[in-house]
Amino acid sequence: MVSEYAGTDEAATEKAKKPWLSIVGIGEDGLSGLGENARRAIESAAVVFGGVRHLELAASAIKGQARSWPTPFDVEMSEVVALRGHKVCVLASGDPFFYGVGVTLLRKIAAEETVSHPSPSAFSLAASRLGWALQSVECVSLHGRSIDLIRPHLHQGAKIIVLTSDAQAPALIAKLLSETGFGHSTFLLLEALGGQRERLRHAKAQDFSLENIDPLNVVAIDIVADANARILPYTSGLDDALFEHDGQITKREIRAVTLSSLAPRHGELLWDIGAGSGSIGIEWMLSHPSLKAIAIEQHSQRAERIARNAEAFGVPGLEILIGAAPEAFEGLPRPEAIFIGGGGSEKGVLDGAIEALKPGGRLIANAVTLEMEAMLLSAQARLGGSLIRLDVSRASAVGSMSGWKPAMPVTQWSWTKSRDEET
């Protein structure tokens, strides 16, 4: 027999699964830019959440309680989740699922419990004003994020649309462009798109001096690269000269092979052990925005250098851990890939990395010393995997002529952990 209490619980659960949350994207044109269904969602909600600006734009349609987002912003969406099953509406800017609050909400609330009413995003509005093909444009949100994130997109002829956080950001972006060799780029400032204050102004990045900028702004950039511009090629194995280093760097040719062996896949985490200059972790993250990396480096000066390199390469999200392996592994999230470049011959480092690696993960270790090579030969004999020897020679001066100067050979062990057993 099913008790009436169990039935009531089941009914409540079933009710919560039905759409109860409306997510409405609203632009600077306010209610006049919304469709009938979106307006009805606002009018029928018992509680309407949104930023102060959003609530003001929709004020005449709000019949229930209006609640502005708390400060600091609650990424757990506690107040919204607490009203599950009631009629709730969340107001967002433009398209809630393009760098919007809709993404945050659906980390806590199932999609089938929601109904979304998007409006054009700031990116769409900017592209339409400029006549740019949106599918050919790099769209970057710097809202609450580092401006260094635009660096990988700075290529001759590229078009970038950037969503900013405030009135100060455009000048900072123009300064970054000028300092990295892109000062002749056309810099278009689009303010308060879709509203009565909408305005379009432009300048060369190096001549940027626009004032009285509306905090609601989007920057569109038509990139022009100077001869000395700092362009980050899309390939693996970037020029060593692009990195700040003290000689502790996986050299370009070896790095290209190493990244190929690491084989980055969507959303994966890399541990870069003995990171040196951070070059492996940085190039790993440049492969795709979903990738994450932790650079483990015991020397504080090198760790500071890694941080500077991460900013200069547009991957400020690289996590840097100062500490010696294997003690530094404690408490870290388990990775799908591990690279051991420095300090691998120290006691417990290789075994600790093998143990920490997720099932199905890849471990790549490079050796230049005989001691480290011996450890890799032993590991391969015990666990399998593959060994390769990498020899690189560079042309250099021999008196008045030229000859080949060999670099130290590198032994590389590549191993994939079995998915059905822990080591």
Side-chain angles (χ1 to χ4, degrees), residues 186-319:
T186 301
F187 197 95
L188 301 117
L189 179 65
L190 302 100
E191 302 165 86
L193 283 169
Q196 295 181 352
R197 306 188 317 278
E198 181 173 324
R199 179 167 57 170
L200 169 61
R201 294 185 279 172
H202 61 86
K204 295 295 182 187
Q206 63 189 14
D207 301 324
F208 185 85
S209 59
L210 301 178
E211 298 179 341
N212 300 317
I213 296 172
D214 194 296
L216 296 174
N217 67 79
V218 174
V219 171
I221 312 166
D222 196 346
I223 298 294
V224 177
D226 298 341
N228 64 339
R230 192 175 190 277
I231 297 175
L232 302 178
Y234 296 130
T235 186
S236 296
L238 299 176
D239 193 331
D240 295 348
L242 289 170
F243 294 88
E244 180 187 345
H245 64 89
D246 60 358
Q248 294 298 311
I249 183 172
T250 302
K251 297 298 189 293
R252 147 180 222 172
E253 298 85 358
I254 305 301
R255 194 180 333 118
V257 174
T258 300
L259 265 294
S260 175
S261 299
L262 284 168
R265 301 172 188 175
H266 186 275
E268 290 186 328
L269 171 67
L270 168 76
W271 285 5
D272 182 0
I273 301 173
S277 66
S279 63
I280 293 292
I282 286 168
E283 290 208 32
W284 166 275
M285 291 184 68
L286 284 172
S287 299
H288 194 271
S290 70
L291 295 170
K292 300 178 287 294
I294 300 174
I296 301 169
E297 174 55 56
Q298 64 178 318
H299 300 289
S300 59
Q301 285 188 333
R302 287 179 182 161
E304 291 170 3
R305 190 176 293 117
I306 293 170
R308 293 193 294 271
N309 278 329
E311 291 178 359
F313 281 85
V315 289
L318 174 67
E319 186 177 341

Side-chain angles (χ1 to χ4, degrees), residues 34-363:
L34 299 182
E36 183 180 343
N37 289 337
R39 290 176 65 103
R40 190 181 300 120
I42 298 171
E43 293 168 349
S44 62
V47 182
V48 179
F49 290 91
V52 173
R53 180 173 58 87
H54 298 138
L55 295 173
E56 289 175 351
L57 288 167
S60 62
I62 298 175
K63 310 302 182 186
Q65 181 186 8
R67 290 195 202 175
S68 58
W69 295 123
T71 303
F73 185 74
D74 178 19
V75 295
E76 297 298 316
M77 292 291 173
S78 305
E79 292 186 29
V80 179
V81 174
L83 292 171
R84 176 178 262 114
H86 299 278
K87 273 193 169 294
V88 178
C89 179
V90 167
L91 299 177
S93 296
D95 185 344
F97 291 93
F98 197 9
Y99 294 111
V101 73
V103 178
T104 306
L105 281 165
L106 263 69
R107 293 193 186 109
K108 304 297 176 183
I109 300 167
E112 59 265 26
E113 297 179 52
T114 70
V115 176
S116 182
H117 306 278
S119 293
S121 69
F123 299 104
S124 295
L125 290 173
S128 68
R129 300 297 190 267
L130 301 173
W132 289 5
L134 191 57
Q135 72 272 15
S136 301
V137 173
E138 297 290 347
C139 295
V140 182
S141 174
L142 300 184
H143 189 75
R145 306 166 80 199
S146 169
I147 65 169
D148 291 313
L149 290 168
I150 70 170
R151 292 178 185 265
H153 305 294
L154 301 179
H155 286 251
Q156 170 64 34
K159 287 181 167 61
I160 308 173
I161 297 177
V162 182
L163 178 65
T164 75
S165 291
D166 51 42
Q168 288 71 49
L172 295 175
I173 295 169
K175 184 173 182 286
L176 185 151
L177 292 170
S178 300
E179 291 175 346
T180 52
F182 301 93
H184 289 95
S185 300
T186 301
F187 197 95
L188 301 117
L189 179 65
L190 302 100
E191 302 165 86
L193 283 169
Q196 295 181 352
R197 306 188 317 278
E198 181 173 324
R199 179 167 57 170
L200 169 61
R201 294 185 279 172
H202 61 86
K204 295 295 182 187
Q206 63 189 14
D207 301 324
F208 185 85
S209 59
L210 301 178
E211 298 179 341
N212 300 317
I213 296 172
D214 194 296
L216 296 174
N217 67 79
V218 174
V219 171
I221 312 166
D222 196 346
I223 298 294
V224 177
D226 298 341
N228 64 339
R230 192 175 190 277
I231 297 175
L232 302 178
Y234 296 130
T235 186
S236 296
L238 299 176
D239 193 331
D240 295 348
L242 289 170
F243 294 88
E244 180 187 345
H245 64 89
D246 60 358
Q248 294 298 311
I249 183 172
T250 302
K251 297 298 189 293
R252 147 180 222 172
E253 298 85 358
I254 305 301
R255 194 180 333 118
V257 174
T258 300
L259 265 294
S260 175
S261 299
L262 284 168
R265 301 172 188 175
H266 186 275
E268 290 186 328
L269 171 67
L270 168 76
W271 285 5
D272 182 0
I273 301 173
S277 66
S279 63
I280 293 292
I282 286 168
E283 290 208 32
W284 166 275
M285 291 184 68
L286 284 172
S287 299
H288 194 271
S290 70
L291 295 170
K292 300 178 287 294
I294 300 174
I296 301 169
E297 174 55 56
Q298 64 178 318
H299 300 289
S300 59
Q301 285 188 333
R302 287 179 182 161
E304 291 170 3
R305 190 176 293 117
I306 293 170
R308 293 193 294 271
N309 278 329
E311 291 178 359
F313 281 85
V315 289
L318 174 67
E319 186 177 341
I320 302 166
L321 176 62
I322 302 175
E327 292 77 16
F329 300 164
E330 186 175 350
L332 294 181
R334 296 182 71 185
E336 287 82 10
I338 293 177
F339 170 64
I340 303 177
S345 59
E346 297 296 324
K347 183 178 179 180
V349 173
L350 184 59
D351 288 341
I354 289 170
E355 182 179 355
L357 188 67
K358 281 185 178 181
R362 289 94 57 207
L363 188 151

